[in-house]
Amino acid sequence: WLYATLGIGLLSTVLILGEVTHGSKISFTMGGITFQPSEFVKILFLFFLAGALWENVSFQRVLLTAVIAGAHVVVLVVSKDLGSALIFFVAFLCIAFLRTGDLPSIAMMVAAAAFGCGIILRFKPYIADRFAAWRHAWDYAQDIGYQQTRTMSAMASGGLFGVGPKDGWLKYVGAANTDLVFGVVGEEFGFLLALCCVAALVIPIVFTLRCAAAARSSFYTILSCATAAMLVCQMALNVLGAVDLLPLTGVTFPFVSMGGSSMISCWGLMAYLKAADTRQNASFALRLSKLAPQQ
């Protein structure tokens, strides 16, 4: 509960004191350094969920956990950080299903979330505008579909092997090093290398899911599986949003997009994947390999 309180407090602080960036309050600057607290709250959020539902999966505990998780999502929605709100919601659904296995309840949560989104879009038209270009980016190529159309054009010009480092033009488009980084990689290094960036994240996640059944406890299983869901959701929103297969929500590509907060958060989430690894000497494999030549 301490982690939940801290997480909601950080998000609320940004909501009140944060700086508006591209229409959203997602960061603040301290001592000349800009922080995006929602990235760090991801770590706290998963720790809270795993701790709350590790041993107690009674209806009352699940309901209380859902309410607190919903509070995180509501604060993010009010801050207009819709991408992070969706990532948090997907992580909660993953954990709720892992601990209860109750598909009807999960379906009801999804339906309630969809109803809430409908209300938000009804009374917050500026949010609906962000989704207006979805699947119609070329109809709005000079305004709300500008980024997606340029990304698709750049990736097409890059082909399979790219135009070469520093020879691309997409890097001059706004948010090229964050929201559109998949397009930059595809243009300069080719579609094949862009897919390798996706595979580099998917492979350890698949390994983690295969090893989840042998984790030390349900606590580690929850953490690893929810982390996998969070990272995959974040990557999918970035990659598919850049090419107009999903709405562009403004989330980063893990380990590829620029941003210190995102990078630190992603490494913290990877620590959860590592914690579930129960192979013999797994934590000491690197150290032993370094000592071997000396011996």
Side-chain angles (χ1 to χ4, degrees):
W1 311 115
L2 175 62
Y3 295 118
T5 303
L6 182 60
I8 295 176
L10 283 173
L11 295 178
S12 301
T13 300
V14 178
L15 176 62
I16 299 172
L17 304 176
E19 304 167 354
V20 178
T21 305
H22 302 297
S24 304
K25 281 190 175 183
I26 59 176
S27 62
F28 65 88
T29 302
M30 181 182 299
I33 301 177
T34 301
F35 299 90
Q36 187 171 339
S38 62
E39 295 291 339
F40 303 109
V41 175
K42 291 177 183 177
I43 300 174
L44 299 175
F45 184 70
L46 293 184
F47 216 15
F48 151 66
L49 291 177
L53 299 178
W54 174 24
E55 296 177 315
N56 187 344
V57 289
S58 64
F59 176 78
Q60 292 81 3
R61 176 59 66 90
V62 173
L63 180 60
L64 177 60
T65 304
V67 170
I68 297 177
H72 286 78
V73 174
V74 168
V75 176
L76 287 169
V77 170
V78 175
S79 301
K80 304 179 188 177
D81 191 359
L82 304 180
S84 295
L86 180 58
I87 293 171
F88 276 59
F89 181 65
V90 168
F92 168 73
L93 288 182
C94 176
I95 289 182
F97 178 71
L98 282 173
R99 296 305 295 144
T100 65
D102 189 353
L103 282 176
S105 297
I106 300 300
M108 289 181 61
M109 293 178 189
V110 174
F115 179 74
C117 288
I119 295 177
I120 292 172
L121 294 177
R122 174 66 177 81
F123 293 99
K124 302 290 185 180
Y126 55 83
I127 296 179
D129 290 341
R130 301 186 62 178
F131 294 88
W134 179 33
R135 305 297 299 154
H136 301 284
W138 292 104
D139 296 335
Y140 305 94
Q142 298 303 321
D143 39 68
I144 55 178
Y146 181 88
Q147 291 176 303
Q148 292 100 318
T149 54
R150 271 55 181 181
T151 301
M152 290 185 282
S153 297
M155 293 200 67
S157 65
L160 291 178
F161 304 103
V163 299
K166 299 184 180 180
D167 292 333
W169 53 266
L170 184 62
K171 60 176 177 270
Y172 300 112
V173 176
N177 54 8
T178 53
D179 302 353
L180 310 179
V181 71
F182 182 73
V184 174
V185 174
E187 180 191 19
E188 296 191 0
F189 299 97
F191 184 65
L192 294 179
L193 188 60
L195 290 182
C196 287
C197 291
V198 175
L201 183 62
V202 171
I203 290 174
I205 287 175
V206 171
F207 170 79
T208 301
L209 295 178
R210 293 185 60 184
C211 298
R216 294 181 176 88
S217 68
S218 59
F219 179 81
Y220 290 99
T221 299
I222 292 172
L223 275 179
S224 61
C225 291
T227 299
M230 181 173 280
L231 289 174
V232 167
C233 180
Q234 181 170 335
M235 179 184 64
L237 288 175
N238 180 279
V239 172
L240 300 181
V243 295
D244 199 32
L245 294 178
L246 286 176
L248 185 62
T249 52
V251 298
T252 57
F253 192 131
F255 300 109
V256 180
S257 294
M258 189 186 76
S261 297
S262 175
M263 188 67 69
I264 294 173
S265 170
C266 289
W267 279 116
L269 293 175
M270 289 296 287
Y272 287 157
L273 301 184
K274 184 66 183 72
D277 190 354
T278 57
R279 292 175 299 163
Q280 185 177 8
N281 294 326
S283 300
F284 305 97
L286 181 60
R287 183 172 65 86
L288 291 176
S289 65
K290 291 181 178 179
L291 293 176
Q294 301 176 3
Q295 297 174 350

